[in-house]
């Protein structure tokens, strides 16, 4: 994906996100209300839903269970929750961000397979 690509919703969920983005940006233009649209990368950290990738892999490794995965070639920009919070606070305080869409990420893409392999190595499990 490129920053200049148009959104092409493929579900009611993604359509809702696009509609909400446009509604908020229109409200910003019409009323002068300060709005910043944040688009965080794949966020992880404490208290994350255990069904999500990282806690799911860690749980399987700790229990000595297999973790089934597809080839895992999907590229993701993983973002730690504390970094997301810092980015959100900074965006809220930055006048130049008003009325903008801001993508928050680590700036480094990782394949899902690399993340799973790293977690297994770190846990000492296969």
């Amino acid at each position: 994906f490129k920053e200049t690509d148009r959104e092409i919703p493929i579900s009611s969920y993604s359509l809702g996100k696009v509609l909400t983005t446009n509604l908020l940006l229109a409200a910003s233009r019409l009323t002068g209300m300060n709005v910043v649209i944040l688009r965080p990368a794949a966020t992880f950290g404490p208290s994350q839903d255990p069904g999500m990738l990282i806690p799911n892999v860690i749980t399987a490794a700790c229990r000595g269970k297999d973790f089934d995965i597809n080839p895992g070639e999907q590229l993701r920009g993983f973002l730690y929750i504390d970094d997301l919070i810092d980015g959100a606070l900074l965006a809220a305080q930055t006048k130049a961000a008003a009325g903008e869409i801001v993508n928050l990420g680590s700036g480094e893409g990782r394949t899902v397979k690399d993340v799973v392999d790293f977690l297994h190595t770190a846990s000492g499990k296969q």
Side-chain angles (χ1 to χ4, degrees), residues 4 26-28 47-48 106:
T4 56
S28 176
S47 300
Q48 184 175 24
S106 65

Side-chain angles (χ1 to χ4, degrees), residues 13-25:
Y13 173 74
S14 59
L15 177 61
K17 289 173 71 170
V18 170
L19 291 172
T20 301
T21 294
N22 284 297
L23 177 65
L24 288 170
L25 292 175

Side-chain angles (χ1 to χ4, degrees), residues 2-124:
K2 296 178 187 169
E3 298 293 329
T4 56
D5 287 350
R6 295 279 317 224
E7 298 93 345
I8 303 173
I10 59 170
S11 68
S12 57
Y13 173 74
S14 59
L15 177 61
K17 289 173 71 170
V18 170
L19 291 172
T20 301
T21 294
N22 284 297
L23 177 65
L24 288 170
L25 292 175
S28 176
R29 287 189 301 272
L30 294 170
T31 68
M33 175 177 59
N34 287 330
V35 171
V36 179
I37 306 297
L38 299 180
R39 291 186 178 161
T43 306
F44 68 97
S47 300
Q48 184 175 24
D49 183 307
M52 300 300 287
L53 177 69
I54 291 176
N56 203 350
V57 171
I58 292 170
T59 300
C62 289
R63 292 181 178 163
K65 295 190 174 192
D66 289 341
F67 184 81
D68 292 329
I69 185 172
N70 60 29
E73 295 175 3
Q74 312 91 311
L75 197 61
R76 297 287 182 266
F78 291 91
L79 181 65
Y80 188 66
I81 185 64
D82 290 354
D83 297 325
L84 170 58
I85 293 167
D86 290 345
L89 292 172
L90 182 60
Q93 298 169 9
T94 304
K95 290 185 187 233
E100 298 294 330
I101 297 171
V102 177
N103 294 304
L104 296 176
S106 65
E108 296 181 26
R110 305 268 186 231
T111 65
V112 170
K113 182 181 183 325
D114 286 345
V115 171
V116 171
D117 289 344
F118 172 82
L119 293 170
H120 280 146
T121 300
S123 70

